[in-house]
PDB file of all heavy atoms in Angstrom:
ATOM      1  N   ASP N  79     -50.202   1.449 127.244  1.00 95.00           N
ATOM      2  CA  ASP N  79     -49.566   0.426 128.123  1.00 95.00           C
ATOM      3  C   ASP N  79     -49.308   0.815 129.449  1.00 95.00           C
ATOM      4  O   ASP N  79     -49.288   2.105 129.822  1.00 95.00           O
ATOM      5  CB  ASP N  79     -48.388  -0.100 127.344  1.00 95.00           C
ATOM      6  CG  ASP N  79     -47.261   0.911 127.408  1.00 95.00           C
ATOM      7  OD1 ASP N  79     -47.558   2.223 127.291  1.00 95.00           O
ATOM      8  OD2 ASP N  79     -46.150   0.491 127.140  1.00 95.00           O
ATOM      9  N   SER N  80     -49.225  -0.044 130.361  1.00 97.00           N
ATOM     10  CA  SER N  80     -48.966   0.249 131.749  1.00 97.00           C
ATOM     11  C   SER N  80     -48.257  -0.850 132.357  1.00 97.00           C
ATOM     12  O   SER N  80     -48.394  -2.190 131.865  1.00 97.00           O
ATOM     13  CB  SER N  80     -50.256   0.435 132.554  1.00 97.00           C
ATOM     14  OG  SER N  80     -49.943   0.762 133.982  1.00 97.00           O
ATOM     15  N   PHE N  81     -47.451  -0.745 133.279  1.00 97.00           N
ATOM     16  CA  PHE N  81     -46.728  -1.946 134.016  1.00 97.00           C
ATOM     17  C   PHE N  81     -46.891  -1.707 135.531  1.00 97.00           C
ATOM     18  O   PHE N  81     -47.048  -0.728 136.060  1.00 97.00           O
ATOM     19  CB  PHE N  81     -45.352  -2.194 133.594  1.00 97.00           C
ATOM     20  CG  PHE N  81     -44.346  -1.087 134.138  1.00 97.00           C
ATOM     21  CD1 PHE N  81     -43.954  -1.142 135.469  1.00 97.00           C
ATOM     22  CD2 PHE N  81     -43.837  -0.179 133.338  1.00 97.00           C
ATOM     23  CE1 PHE N  81     -43.064  -0.228 135.961  1.00 97.00           C
ATOM     24  CE2 PHE N  81     -42.981   0.872 133.733  1.00 97.00           C
ATOM     25  CZ  PHE N  81     -42.512   0.764 135.177  1.00 97.00           C
ATOM     26  N   LEU N  82     -46.813  -2.965 136.205  1.00 98.00           N
ATOM     27  CA  LEU N  82     -46.788  -2.973 137.667  1.00 98.00           C
ATOM     28  C   LEU N  82     -45.583  -3.830 138.119  1.00 98.00           C
ATOM     29  O   LEU N  82     -45.432  -4.963 137.708  1.00 98.00           O
ATOM     30  CB  LEU N  82     -48.120  -3.742 138.146  1.00 98.00           C
ATOM     31  CG  LEU N  82     -48.160  -3.918 139.618  1.00 98.00           C
ATOM     32  CD1 LEU N  82     -48.405  -2.567 140.419  1.00 98.00           C
ATOM     33  CD2 LEU N  82     -49.390  -4.791 140.004  1.00 98.00           C
ATOM     34  N   ASN N  83     -44.864  -3.289 139.038  1.00 98.00           N
ATOM     35  CA  ASN N  83     -43.738  -3.998 139.665  1.00 98.00           C
ATOM     36  C   ASN N  83     -44.118  -4.223 141.223  1.00 98.00           C
ATOM     37  O   ASN N  83     -44.590  -3.290 141.756  1.00 98.00           O
ATOM     38  CB  ASN N  83     -42.490  -3.132 139.579  1.00 98.00           C
ATOM     39  CG  ASN N  83     -41.873  -3.149 138.146  1.00 98.00           C
ATOM     40  OD1 ASN N  83     -42.335  -4.034 137.418  1.00 98.00           O
ATOM     41  ND2 ASN N  83     -41.026  -2.300 137.913  1.00 98.00           N
ATOM     42  N   ILE N  84     -43.674  -5.291 141.688  1.00 97.00           N
ATOM     43  CA  ILE N  84     -43.799  -5.556 143.030  1.00 97.00           C
ATOM     44  C   ILE N  84     -42.439  -5.914 143.523  1.00 97.00           C
ATOM     45  O   ILE N  84     -41.626  -6.858 142.957  1.00 97.00           O
ATOM     46  CB  ILE N  84     -44.778  -6.749 143.437  1.00 97.00           C
ATOM     47  CG1 ILE N  84     -46.134  -6.585 142.805  1.00 97.00           C
ATOM     48  CG2 ILE N  84     -44.873  -7.031 144.875  1.00 97.00           C
ATOM     49  CD1 ILE N  84     -46.979  -7.760 142.820  1.00 97.00           C
ATOM     50  N   SER N  85     -41.857  -5.190 144.528  1.00 97.00           N
ATOM     51  CA  SER N  85     -40.490  -5.500 144.977  1.00 97.00           C
ATOM     52  C   SER N  85     -40.467  -6.372 146.253  1.00 97.00           C
ATOM     53  O   SER N  85     -41.407  -6.318 147.000  1.00 97.00           O
ATOM     54  CB  SER N  85     -39.844  -4.171 145.292  1.00 97.00           C
ATOM     55  OG  SER N  85     -40.425  -3.530 146.331  1.00 97.00           O
ATOM     56  N   ALA N  86     -39.482  -7.210 146.289  1.00 97.00           N
ATOM     57  CA  ALA N  86     -39.342  -8.060 147.498  1.00 97.00           C
ATOM     58  C   ALA N  86     -40.632  -8.718 147.936  1.00 97.00           C
ATOM     59  O   ALA N  86     -41.019  -8.512 148.995  1.00 97.00           O
ATOM     60  CB  ALA N  86     -38.767  -7.222 148.737  1.00 97.00           C
ATOM     61  N   SER N  87     -40.979  -9.556 146.964  1.00 97.00           N
ATOM     62  CA  SER N  87     -42.393 -10.343 147.193  1.00 97.00           C
ATOM     63  C   SER N  87     -42.473 -10.997 148.468  1.00 97.00           C
ATOM     64  O   SER N  87     -41.425 -11.531 149.120  1.00 97.00           O
ATOM     65  CB  SER N  87     -42.753 -11.203 146.042  1.00 97.00           C
ATOM     66  OG  SER N  87     -41.554 -12.129 145.950  1.00 97.00           O
ATOM     67  N   ILE N  88     -43.612 -11.178 149.058  1.00 96.00           N
ATOM     68  CA  ILE N  88     -44.039 -11.862 150.216  1.00 96.00           C
ATOM     69  C   ILE N  88     -45.149 -12.790 150.008  1.00 96.00           C
ATOM     70  O   ILE N  88     -45.770 -12.612 149.074  1.00 96.00           O
ATOM     71  CB  ILE N  88     -44.122 -10.973 151.499  1.00 96.00           C
ATOM     72  CG1 ILE N  88     -45.290 -10.021 151.118  1.00 96.00           C
ATOM     73  CG2 ILE N  88     -42.983 -10.141 151.751  1.00 96.00           C
ATOM     74  CD1 ILE N  88     -45.757  -9.086 152.322  1.00 96.00           C
ATOM     75  N   PRO N  89     -45.336 -13.897 150.963  1.00 95.00           N
ATOM     76  CA  PRO N  89     -46.393 -14.831 150.598  1.00 95.00           C
ATOM     77  C   PRO N  89     -47.724 -14.088 150.438  1.00 95.00           C
ATOM     78  O   PRO N  89     -48.596 -14.631 149.695  1.00 95.00           O
ATOM     79  CB  PRO N  89     -46.308 -15.758 151.799  1.00 95.00           C
ATOM     80  CG  PRO N  89     -44.811 -15.757 152.081  1.00 95.00           C
ATOM     81  CD  PRO N  89     -44.391 -14.303 151.956  1.00 95.00           C
ATOM     82  N   SER N  90     -48.065 -13.093 151.192  1.00 95.00           N
ATOM     83  CA  SER N  90     -49.418 -12.393 151.118  1.00 95.00           C
ATOM     84  C   SER N  90     -49.541 -11.774 149.766  1.00 95.00           C
ATOM     85  O   SER N  90     -50.739 -11.224 149.511  1.00 95.00           O
ATOM     86  CB  SER N  90     -49.645 -11.606 152.382  1.00 95.00           C
ATOM     87  OG  SER N  90     -48.655 -10.560 152.282  1.00 95.00           O
ATOM     88  N   ASP N  91     -48.588 -11.667 148.988  1.00 96.00           N
ATOM     89  CA  ASP N  91     -48.774 -11.102 147.661  1.00 96.00           C
ATOM     90  C   ASP N  91     -49.480 -11.921 146.629  1.00 96.00           C
ATOM     91  O   ASP N  91     -49.909 -11.530 145.519  1.00 96.00           O
ATOM     92  CB  ASP N  91     -47.446 -10.657 146.924  1.00 96.00           C
ATOM     93  CG  ASP N  91     -46.727  -9.493 147.678  1.00 96.00           C
ATOM     94  OD1 ASP N  91     -47.552  -8.674 148.254  1.00 96.00           O
ATOM     95  OD2 ASP N  91     -45.439  -9.379 147.566  1.00 96.00           O
ATOM     96  N   VAL N  92     -49.673 -13.236 147.022  1.00 96.00           N
ATOM     97  CA  VAL N  92     -50.332 -14.157 146.183  1.00 96.00           C
ATOM     98  C   VAL N  92     -51.775 -13.652 145.748  1.00 96.00           C
ATOM     99  O   VAL N  92     -52.575 -13.192 146.742  1.00 96.00           O
ATOM    100  CB  VAL N  92     -50.372 -15.483 146.975  1.00 96.00           C
ATOM    101  CG1 VAL N  92     -51.529 -16.521 146.300  1.00 96.00           C
ATOM    102  CG2 VAL N  92     -49.096 -16.166 146.958  1.00 96.00           C
ATOM    103  N   GLY N  93     -52.124 -13.834 144.574  1.00 96.00           N
ATOM    104  CA  GLY N  93     -53.458 -13.512 144.111  1.00 96.00           C
ATOM    105  C   GLY N  93     -53.417 -13.317 142.622  1.00 96.00           C
ATOM    106  O   GLY N  93     -52.404 -13.581 141.960  1.00 96.00           O
ATOM    107  N   ILE N  94     -54.497 -12.804 142.099  1.00 96.00           N
ATOM    108  CA  ILE N  94     -54.526 -12.452 140.652  1.00 96.00           C
ATOM    109  C   ILE N  94     -54.545 -10.917 140.538  1.00 96.00           C
ATOM    110  O   ILE N  94     -55.245 -10.231 141.224  1.00 96.00           O
ATOM    111  CB  ILE N  94     -55.918 -12.941 139.937  1.00 96.00           C
ATOM    112  CG1 ILE N  94     -55.958 -14.474 140.175  1.00 96.00           C
ATOM    113  CG2 ILE N  94     -55.887 -12.683 138.517  1.00 96.00           C
ATOM    114  CD1 ILE N  94     -57.153 -15.160 139.583  1.00 96.00           C
ATOM    115  N   TYR N  95     -53.643 -10.496 139.665  1.00 97.00           N
ATOM    116  CA  TYR N  95     -53.558  -8.990 139.479  1.00 97.00           C
ATOM    117  C   TYR N  95     -54.216  -8.677 138.052  1.00 97.00           C
ATOM    118  O   TYR N  95     -53.861  -9.259 137.064  1.00 97.00           O
ATOM    119  CB  TYR N  95     -52.147  -8.586 139.486  1.00 97.00           C
ATOM    120  CG  TYR N  95     -51.467  -8.734 140.956  1.00 97.00           C
ATOM    121  CD1 TYR N  95     -51.086  -9.904 141.500  1.00 97.00           C
ATOM    122  CD2 TYR N  95     -51.294  -7.598 141.809  1.00 97.00           C
ATOM    123  CE1 TYR N  95     -50.595 -10.138 142.647  1.00 97.00           C
ATOM    124  CE2 TYR N  95     -50.879  -7.748 143.074  1.00 97.00           C
ATOM    125  CZ  TYR N  95     -50.603  -8.885 143.548  1.00 97.00           C
ATOM    126  OH  TYR N  95     -49.944  -9.125 144.827  1.00 97.00           O
ATOM    127  N   PHE N  96     -55.043  -7.597 138.099  1.00 95.00           N
ATOM    128  CA  PHE N  96     -55.661  -7.103 136.885  1.00 95.00           C
ATOM    129  C   PHE N  96     -55.303  -5.796 136.625  1.00 95.00           C
ATOM    130  O   PHE N  96     -55.216  -4.929 137.593  1.00 95.00           O
ATOM    131  CB  PHE N  96     -57.143  -7.273 137.042  1.00 95.00           C
ATOM    132  CG  PHE N  96     -57.764  -8.608 137.231  1.00 95.00           C
ATOM    133  CD1 PHE N  96     -58.095  -9.082 138.391  1.00 95.00           C
ATOM    134  CD2 PHE N  96     -57.993  -9.317 135.948  1.00 95.00           C
ATOM    135  CE1 PHE N  96     -58.593 -10.416 138.585  1.00 95.00           C
ATOM    136  CE2 PHE N  96     -58.600 -10.566 136.103  1.00 95.00           C
ATOM    137  CZ  PHE N  96     -58.918 -11.157 137.312  1.00 95.00           C
ATOM    138  N   CYS N  97     -55.112  -5.473 135.177  1.00 95.00           N
ATOM    139  CA  CYS N  97     -55.022  -4.109 134.879  1.00 95.00           C
ATOM    140  C   CYS N  97     -56.361  -3.764 134.328  1.00 95.00           C
ATOM    141  O   CYS N  97     -57.183  -4.597 133.958  1.00 95.00           O
ATOM    142  CB  CYS N  97     -53.989  -3.876 133.846  1.00 95.00           C
ATOM    143  SG  CYS N  97     -54.264  -4.914 132.336  1.00 95.00           S
ATOM    144  N   ALA N  98     -56.637  -2.414 134.292  1.00 92.00           N
ATOM    145  CA  ALA N  98     -57.909  -1.912 133.708  1.00 92.00           C
ATOM    146  C   ALA N  98     -57.689  -0.573 133.169  1.00 92.00           C
ATOM    147  O   ALA N  98     -56.910   0.198 133.596  1.00 92.00           O
ATOM    148  CB  ALA N  98     -58.998  -1.872 134.830  1.00 92.00           C
ATOM    149  N   GLY N  99     -58.317  -0.274 132.014  1.00 90.00           N
ATOM    150  CA  GLY N  99     -58.155   0.961 131.417  1.00 90.00           C
ATOM    151  C   GLY N  99     -59.621   1.633 131.247  1.00 90.00           C
ATOM    152  O   GLY N  99     -60.568   0.915 131.049  1.00 90.00           O
ATOM    153  N   LYS N 100     -59.562   2.871 131.344  1.00 84.00           N
ATOM    154  CA  LYS N 100     -60.878   3.572 131.226  1.00 84.00           C
ATOM    155  C   LYS N 100     -60.751   4.332 129.870  1.00 84.00           C
ATOM    156  O   LYS N 100     -59.734   4.917 129.463  1.00 84.00           O
ATOM    157  CB  LYS N 100     -60.939   4.661 132.338  1.00 84.00           C
ATOM    158  CG  LYS N 100     -62.360   5.226 132.510  1.00 84.00           C
ATOM    159  CD  LYS N 100     -62.635   5.905 133.721  1.00 84.00           C
ATOM    160  CE  LYS N 100     -64.023   6.337 133.873  1.00 84.00           C
ATOM    161  NZ  LYS N 100     -64.421   7.160 135.020  1.00 84.00           N
ATOM    162  N   ASN N 101     -61.925   4.159 129.097  1.00 71.00           N
ATOM    163  CA  ASN N 101     -61.993   4.615 127.830  1.00 71.00           C
ATOM    164  C   ASN N 101     -61.664   5.974 127.593  1.00 71.00           C
ATOM    165  O   ASN N 101     -62.229   6.831 128.346  1.00 71.00           O
ATOM    166  CB  ASN N 101     -63.360   4.167 127.255  1.00 71.00           C
ATOM    167  CG  ASN N 101     -63.408   4.122 125.786  1.00 71.00           C
ATOM    168  OD1 ASN N 101     -62.471   3.813 125.132  1.00 71.00           O
ATOM    169  ND2 ASN N 101     -64.737   4.249 125.204  1.00 71.00           N
ATOM    170  N   TYR N 102     -60.934   6.320 126.634  1.00 52.00           N
ATOM    171  CA  TYR N 102     -60.557   7.735 126.261  1.00 52.00           C
ATOM    172  C   TYR N 102     -61.620   8.246 125.356  1.00 52.00           C
ATOM    173  O   TYR N 102     -61.964   7.636 124.330  1.00 52.00           O
ATOM    174  CB  TYR N 102     -59.214   7.849 125.577  1.00 52.00           C
ATOM    175  CG  TYR N 102     -58.749   9.230 125.442  1.00 52.00           C
ATOM    176  CD1 TYR N 102     -58.017   9.827 126.453  1.00 52.00           C
ATOM    177  CD2 TYR N 102     -58.956  10.019 124.279  1.00 52.00           C
ATOM    178  CE1 TYR N 102     -57.619  11.126 126.368  1.00 52.00           C
ATOM    179  CE2 TYR N 102     -58.558  11.319 124.160  1.00 52.00           C
ATOM    180  CZ  TYR N 102     -57.829  11.963 125.186  1.00 52.00           C
ATOM    181  OH  TYR N 102     -57.431  13.168 125.031  1.00 52.00           O
ATOM    182  N   GLY N 103     -62.288   9.395 125.609  1.00 49.00           N
ATOM    183  CA  GLY N 103     -63.284   9.939 124.774  1.00 49.00           C
ATOM    184  C   GLY N 103     -64.564   9.144 124.946  1.00 49.00           C
ATOM    185  O   GLY N 103     -64.592   8.149 125.683  1.00 49.00           O
ATOM    186  N   GLY N 104     -65.411   9.209 124.167  1.00 48.00           N
ATOM    187  CA  GLY N 104     -66.759   8.479 124.023  1.00 48.00           C
ATOM    188  C   GLY N 104     -67.294   8.470 125.394  1.00 48.00           C
ATOM    189  O   GLY N 104     -67.357   9.451 126.138  1.00 48.00           O
ATOM    190  N   SER N 105     -67.999   7.266 125.743  1.00 48.00           N
ATOM    191  CA  SER N 105     -68.635   7.354 127.057  1.00 48.00           C
ATOM    192  C   SER N 105     -67.649   7.291 128.235  1.00 48.00           C
ATOM    193  O   SER N 105     -66.701   6.789 128.183  1.00 48.00           O
ATOM    194  CB  SER N 105     -69.392   6.075 127.127  1.00 48.00           C
ATOM    195  OG  SER N 105     -69.891   5.842 128.481  1.00 48.00           O
ATOM    196  N   GLN N 106     -68.005   8.124 129.285  1.00 49.00           N
ATOM    197  CA  GLN N 106     -67.145   8.146 130.406  1.00 49.00           C
ATOM    198  C   GLN N 106     -67.148   7.021 131.299  1.00 49.00           C
ATOM    199  O   GLN N 106     -66.244   6.792 132.125  1.00 49.00           O
ATOM    200  CB  GLN N 106     -67.672   9.396 131.207  1.00 49.00           C
ATOM    201  CG  GLN N 106     -67.391  10.650 130.634  1.00 49.00           C
ATOM    202  CD  GLN N 106     -66.071  11.052 130.377  1.00 49.00           C
ATOM    203  OE1 GLN N 106     -65.291  10.923 131.210  1.00 49.00           O
ATOM    204  NE2 GLN N 106     -65.749  11.492 129.202  1.00 49.00           N
ATOM    205  N   GLY N 107     -68.045   6.063 131.114  1.00 56.00           N
ATOM    206  CA  GLY N 107     -68.180   4.970 132.020  1.00 56.00           C
ATOM    207  C   GLY N 107     -67.490   3.705 131.700  1.00 56.00           C
ATOM    208  O   GLY N 107     -67.424   2.924 132.463  1.00 56.00           O
ATOM    209  N   ASN N 108     -67.015   3.531 130.518  1.00 72.00           N
ATOM    210  CA  ASN N 108     -66.494   2.237 130.061  1.00 72.00           C
ATOM    211  C   ASN N 108     -65.164   1.857 130.731  1.00 72.00           C
ATOM    212  O   ASN N 108     -64.141   2.616 130.501  1.00 72.00           O
ATOM    213  CB  ASN N 108     -66.398   2.222 128.523  1.00 72.00           C
ATOM    214  CG  ASN N 108     -66.393   0.820 128.069  1.00 72.00           C
ATOM    215  OD1 ASN N 108     -66.342  -0.080 128.715  1.00 72.00           O
ATOM    216  ND2 ASN N 108     -66.592   0.774 126.643  1.00 72.00           N
TER     217      ASN N 108
END
Side-chain angles (χ1 to χ4, degrees):
Chain N
D79 61 339
S80 178
F81 73 75
L82 175 71
N83 285 346
I84 305 172
S85 63
S87 58
I88 59 178
S90 62
D91 289 333
V92 164
I94 302 177
Y95 292 79
F96 291 99
C97 61
K100 197 165 184 186
N101 205 21
Y102 189 87
S105 170
Q106 294 294 310
N108 203 346

